Amino acid sequence: MKQTFWATSLVASVAMAGISPAIAQETYKIGVSAGLTGYAATVDRAWRDGVELAAAAVNAKGGVMGRKIQVIVEDNRSEPQEAVTVYRKMLSSDKVDVFVSGCVSAGNFAAAGLLLRAKVPMMLCSILPQQAEHLPWAFTTLPPAGFEVEKRLEYLKEKTQIRKIAVLHDPTPYANLQKGVAERNAAKFGIEVVSVDQYKQDDADLSVQISKARAAGAGAILKIGLGGTTLTAAKNIKQLGADMLLLTSLEDLAVFGPVSEVLGDKFFFVASPSQVYEALPEGGLKTGIKAFLDPWREKFKDRDPNWASRGWDGVMLTVAAIEKAKSLEGEKVRDAYETLSGFQGTTGVYNFRPDLHQGITENPFVLATIAAGKVKVVQ
Amino acid sequence: MTISPSITSPERRPIALRLAGLLPWLFAVVVVGYAMVVGGYAATVVSFALIYAVFVTGLNLFMGFAAQVSFGQNAFAAIGGYGSAVLTATYGWSPLPAMVIGIAAAVMAAAIVGFPTLRLKGHYLAMGTLAIGLITYEITVEWQSLTQGYLGISGIPPFGIGAYEVTSDRGQLVMLSLVVAACAFAAARIRRSRFGRALSAVAGSEEAATALGIDVSRYKLMAFLLSAGFAALAGSLFVHVVGYVSPEVFGLHMVIVTFTMLYVGGIGTVAGPLVGALIVSLLPETFRAFKDYQDLAYGAALILLLIYAPRGLASLFAPRGRS
Amino acid sequence: MSSAVAARTEASAAAPGSARPILAATGLSARYGHVEALHGVDIRIGEGELVAVLGPNGAGKSTLLRAIMGLSANSGEVAFRGELLPRSDAVAVATRGIVLVPEGRGLFPPMSVADNLELGAYRLRDKAEFNRRRERVLTLFPRLKERLGQAAGSMSGGEQQMLALGRALMAGPKLLLLDEPSLGLAPRVTGEILETLGLLNREGLAIVLVEQKAPLALELANRVYLLSLGRIVAELNPRDITSHDDLAQHYFA
């Protein structure tokens, strides 16, 4: 019976302690559902750090509408059902005012219905939900999928003789969207896509796909997707002795050093403005990035700023929307998001419209390579 | 078809023990009731726990009652879930028939895998089930024209009766509680039935069961099909409650969580799956305030549970030998 | 015991195995794992006979019973009442009325005595017949009646053996295969159980009794097979064996 008692009391205390409401404070609460563990960890940890850095900067200047910003971060383990739980927790227990959530798109999709009902908007790292009724409450800092692809096609057209390319992509939604753009738009640049192949993020060998691309006559490979596979692809290209360029997606700069050692001047990558800050011309963009990059470097040294810079933008866009709406209310902030235009962020200029919740409308990306250990912009 | 009810007389057990046997159910009622009153976040956590309880009840039929091992039940949840999702969101069916088709498809898949593998013993079956779990996951990722891959399927309608749709937290909790109660009742009936006793015999000793004329592989297959049916039901419930599905929902994560629930709750008991599902869902939420130490606290709590209740929480309330 | 002796004398008056056989195995070989543990054994069990199979540890006694039951990979033929039994299909063998009480009894320890008994009659669907058998078993073993709700594993060895036998009887056997029922039991309990076996046999039940303790078996058996290293080395009338030395002689012959 002693064990019985023990178990009962444990169970009871779990039930009671589990779900006690947080004490309300006079702060403006930003909720972050981020995959701090799981596949999105690298990206979403950076996103979170960007959000927290921005909140600290805003608070140092007295907050927004007289309120300090409080950031509440919950780990969704990169899984949709966990995301639903943490969104729910932040909505009902923490009474979050707005979400500036990370890159686990499935998690943001799964929770989109909740936000609609709670009338709380979200500014995302990931792509927008697919469901039409969910769209009004979701906004994203993500540049359109085509931009990364088009920058690469543009370079091939203008600076090379290559007119046949291969596309290599992973199965994530964002990569799939980009693949679609490549297939549809290549012709506009006078380029033909001669082979399209998918790989998995944990593949240890891509030589089959690369051989196929070479056999189809491709002079360059557009690789779409993140992770260690970029280095794998580079090594395979070298092993096969294939005379091809490798043009990869936006990624943490740390990944590119080893790749460049393998392929040298045959390797190019898409970079966001914050990653090539030093090479940028003076102007609005550089000033915008500087506001973020100074505190970022002070705190995180030479850690890649790309994902964090968009997290920073997410908070700054929210602050701008609040100030424009002169209200902290979810519905008013949502309306204000839709009217933000010409907003200079770290990733480019945001122009939201009621019918356009993906604010970046001009391609902010550059194409870069690594020459003599330094990042060099080529397009 | 039972010849006679078990003569094992519960009325001869001391009254204190009989009341103790009710404690797990009382606990479940209190937790669900609390979630019903408080709503919000608590309702979400408990709703998911109840869906898991359906899944684990099925897992328990196969692993607890029949003492077999399956690492691939998530495959059947995926088939049930995607069956529901595709038929409702893409083809505009209503949820109930979509669910029925999803469950039927999962049971059929289970028959295809189970028929050859269940004749084998031990690890062959375990490996076979692990394979089907992984293969199904790959299919949900790769068959993009049907499943939309990692993008997932949104806009899955909630359950409803006629024009009335169950969308409120409390409505969903009531619906899920009814489903879980029905599942637990079914499990209790199965356990006391001729079929259930045959499963216990198979669990005790396959050879002794065979010598008594019990067709061991047939009963293992039946238990496997039943558990696949429960898994598919859980998968379908999940997609209709959340309104969205993507491959990660039914990944390896689900296998780990549900195994934990089964062992924490008490494998082979009737109340165990429900208790385990509730505890394992609530524990991490309890420790959420610990932030980075959440997993550590949760892990420590699990270890404590395994030390003090090695046969599961539900078995603490059952007299020894009759768990 | 006098009537038992009389019955035995009567049955064994006929030449060994000449009674109409209920079971006849010819050239029965079986493997136990990778080892062939039985080499071309021929045995016959007459209707209503109690046949003892004796032999030292590892002689293949248990393997013989398992092979008849279809529980091991085997070759050779087993006919039951003139009909060939399917090979390696224990369920089919059990359905025909051959019931094995295996080595170690094969009970389901966490289940109650009542549930264990019920599983014995698993293939029976006739409720009246079920109740009749149950009544009979509880009359034969009154101690089981007191322990119906108790877990089988919590009982003494003797009680467990009674339960194993009772469970076998619930199946309504036509031929009962018993693997060392005396193992690990006190002599008094063994005597009780063997007495019951004698009673069942007198009622006409054919029994194959595997034993290491020869004297016990010899007292009951109509006929004896001696098994050594997987082969039948002798077939004897128990009356011809007067001392332990006689048995030993046969082994070394």
Side-chain angles (χ1 to χ4, degrees), chain B residues 52-70 73 76 103 107 110 118 125 179-180 182-204 206 216-233 258-259 261-263 266-274:
Chain B
Y52 273 124
V54 172
F55 184 99
V56 180
T57 301
L59 192 63
N60 190 36
L61 280 180
F62 192 60
M63 291 190 47
F65 291 6
Q68 305 301 308
V69 180
S70 170
Q73 300 300 103
F76 308 122
I103 292 173
V107 171
L118 284 169
L125 174 65
V179 172
V180 168
C183 289
F185 180 71
R189 285 300 296 263
I190 287 171
R191 197 179 151 78
R192 295 177 67 85
S193 72
R194 188 178 133 83
F195 171 60
R197 261 189 288 272
L199 289 186
S200 303
V202 171
E206 290 193 15
V216 169
S217 50
R218 199 175 121 235
Y219 278 107
K220 284 201 280 189
L221 183 64
M222 282 167 70
F224 190 54
L225 298 188
L226 260 176
S227 69
F230 276 90
L233 172 61
T258 51
F259 266 61
M261 289 169 172
L262 185 57
Y263 283 96
I267 186 167
T269 63
V270 172
L274 176 56

Side-chain angles (χ1 to χ4, degrees), chain B:
Chain B
M1 279 288 109
T2 324
I3 284 175
S4 80
S6 171
I7 318 291
T8 319
S9 46
E11 64 273 14
R12 255 198 272 165
R13 273 196 248 144
I15 192 138
L17 273 182
R18 270 199 293 150
L19 288 179
L22 289 177
L23 276 178
W25 303 106
L26 191 67
F27 163 72
V29 168
V30 168
V31 170
V32 174
Y34 175 79
M36 205 92 78
V37 173
V38 174
Y41 164 47
T44 303
V45 173
V46 173
S47 290
F48 284 167
L50 291 176
I51 293 170
Y52 273 124
V54 172
F55 184 99
V56 180
T57 301
L59 192 63
N60 190 36
L61 280 180
F62 192 60
M63 291 190 47
F65 291 6
Q68 305 301 308
V69 180
S70 170
F71 294 114
Q73 300 300 103
N74 59 328
F76 308 122
I79 294 171
Y82 270 97
S84 266
V86 170
L87 289 175
T88 54
T90 315
Y91 295 101
W93 288 36
S94 57
L96 218 54
M99 173 191 257
V100 170
I101 297 291
I103 292 173
V107 171
M108 234 150 71
I112 292 167
V113 185
F115 196 73
T117 44
L118 284 169
R119 291 175 184 278
L120 306 169
K121 281 195 181 176
H123 61 278
Y124 291 104
L125 174 65
M127 294 314 286
T129 56
L130 183 61
I132 188 189
L134 296 174
I135 290 168
T136 307
Y137 183 83
E138 287 302 321
I139 291 174
T140 56
V141 172
E142 302 287 338
W143 193 358
Q144 284 165 5
S145 59
L146 187 76
T147 66
Q148 313 200 26
Y150 282 123
L151 203 56
I153 299 173
S154 4
I156 303 163
F159 279 108
I161 303 152
Y164 174 72
E165 285 191 336
V166 187
T167 47
S168 74
D169 289 340
R170 292 183 177 86
Q172 286 187 340
L173 267 178
V174 170
M175 176 198 72
L176 292 173
S177 301
L178 290 176
V179 172
V180 168
C183 289
F185 180 71
R189 285 300 296 263
I190 287 171
R191 197 179 151 78
R192 295 177 67 85
S193 72
R194 188 178 133 83
F195 171 60
R197 261 189 288 272
L199 289 186
S200 303
V202 171
S205 156
E206 290 193 15
E207 193 165 297
T210 309
L212 293 173
I214 296 170
D215 189 340
V216 169
S217 50
R218 199 175 121 235
Y219 278 107
K220 284 201 280 189
L221 183 64
M222 282 167 70
F224 190 54
L225 298 188
L226 260 176
S227 69
F230 276 90
L233 172 61
S236 177
L237 287 171
F238 180 88
V239 305
H240 288 297
V241 165
V242 176
Y244 172 80
V245 68
S246 71
E248 301 96 316
V249 173
F250 306 114
L252 213 54
H253 163 82
M254 186 177 206
V255 178
I256 296 163
V257 169
T258 51
F259 266 61
T260 313
M261 289 169 172
L262 185 57
Y263 283 96
V264 165
I267 186 167
T269 63
V270 172
L274 176 56
V275 173
L278 287 171
I279 292 286
V280 171
S281 302
L282 291 180
L283 270 184
E285 300 307 323
T286 312
F287 299 132
R288 200 171 271 291
F290 290 31
K291 292 280 170 198
D292 284 350
Y293 298 102
Q294 184 188 356
D295 285 347
L296 196 69
Y298 171 58
L302 283 187
I303 290 168
L304 280 177
L305 278 174
L306 287 176
I307 291 171
Y308 288 100
R311 297 185 314 141
L313 283 171
S315 67
L316 290 182
F317 305 105
R320 237 152 243 291
R322 286 287 302 163
S323 57

Side-chain angles (χ1 to χ4, degrees), chain A residues 122-279:
Chain A
M122 57 178 170
M123 179 62 76
L124 301 176
C125 168
S126 74
I127 57 176
L128 292 169
Q130 305 298 295
Q131 192 69 7
E133 66 187 72
H134 294 154
L135 275 177
W137 293 88
F139 299 83
T140 182
T141 59
L142 186 71
F147 285 4
E148 280 192 51
V149 171
E150 281 166 6
K151 188 53 79 177
R152 283 178 270 182
L153 293 174
E154 198 180 293
Y155 173 79
L156 290 173
K157 181 191 170 200
E158 290 172 10
K159 306 274 171 74
T160 73
Q161 302 301 313
I162 294 166
R163 291 299 173 262
K164 285 183 177 177
I165 60 161
V167 170
L168 203 54
H169 69 97
D170 71 25
T172 58
Y174 191 55
N176 264 304
L177 285 175
Q178 293 189 58
K179 176 205 75 170
V181 172
E183 285 173 323
R184 278 192 308 277
N185 294 0
K188 275 192 228 162
F189 297 85
I191 286 171
E192 187 192 348
V193 177
V194 292
S195 102
V196 176
D197 275 293
Q198 185 173 305
Y199 66 89
K200 286 191 216 67
Q201 292 92 321
D202 53 1
D203 279 353
D205 185 85
L206 300 171
S207 49
V208 174
Q209 290 95 325
I210 290 165
S211 301
K212 195 180 150 208
R214 182 168 63 162
I221 291 178
L222 257 59
K223 183 176 171 294
I224 303 169
L226 304 177
T229 45
T230 303
L231 184 55
T232 309
K235 284 180 175 163
N236 290 154
I237 290 173
K238 191 164 188 192
Q239 283 156 6
L240 292 167
D243 182 24
M244 291 196 281
L245 301 186
L246 178 65
L247 297 90
T248 72
S249 307
L250 185 62
E251 170 135 31
D252 199 312
L253 282 179
V255 174
F256 293 142
V259 180
S260 145
E261 277 170 32
V262 175
L263 283 182
D265 61 357
K266 289 187 175 164
F267 169 64
F268 301 89
F269 55 89
V270 177
S272 75
S274 61
Q275 291 177 314
V276 292
Y277 173 75
E278 269 71 27

Side-chain angles (χ1 to χ4, degrees), chain B residues 3 194 197 207 213 219 321, chain C residues 66 110 118 122-124 134:
Chain B
I3 284 175
R194 188 178 133 83
R197 261 189 288 272
E207 193 165 297
Y219 278 107
Chain C
R66 290 167 49 85
E118 195 167 330
Y122 188 73
R123 302 203 68 93
L124 180 68
R134 197 163 174 277

Side-chain angles (χ1 to χ4, degrees), chain C residues 42-91:
Chain C
D42 296 342
I43 59 162
R44 291 159 69 79
I45 317 294
E47 291 276 6
E49 242 191 328
L50 196 161
V51 174
V53 178
L54 305 179
N57 217 352
K61 304 187 298 293
S62 297
T63 312
L64 173 64
L65 295 190
R66 290 167 49 85
I68 293 173
M69 200 65 209
L71 280 171
S72 57
N74 54 340
S75 60
E77 287 181 348
V78 183
F80 181 69
R81 288 186 168 161
E83 213 181 302
L84 274 187
L85 290 177
R87 207 168 278 173
S88 303
D89 185 351
V91 172

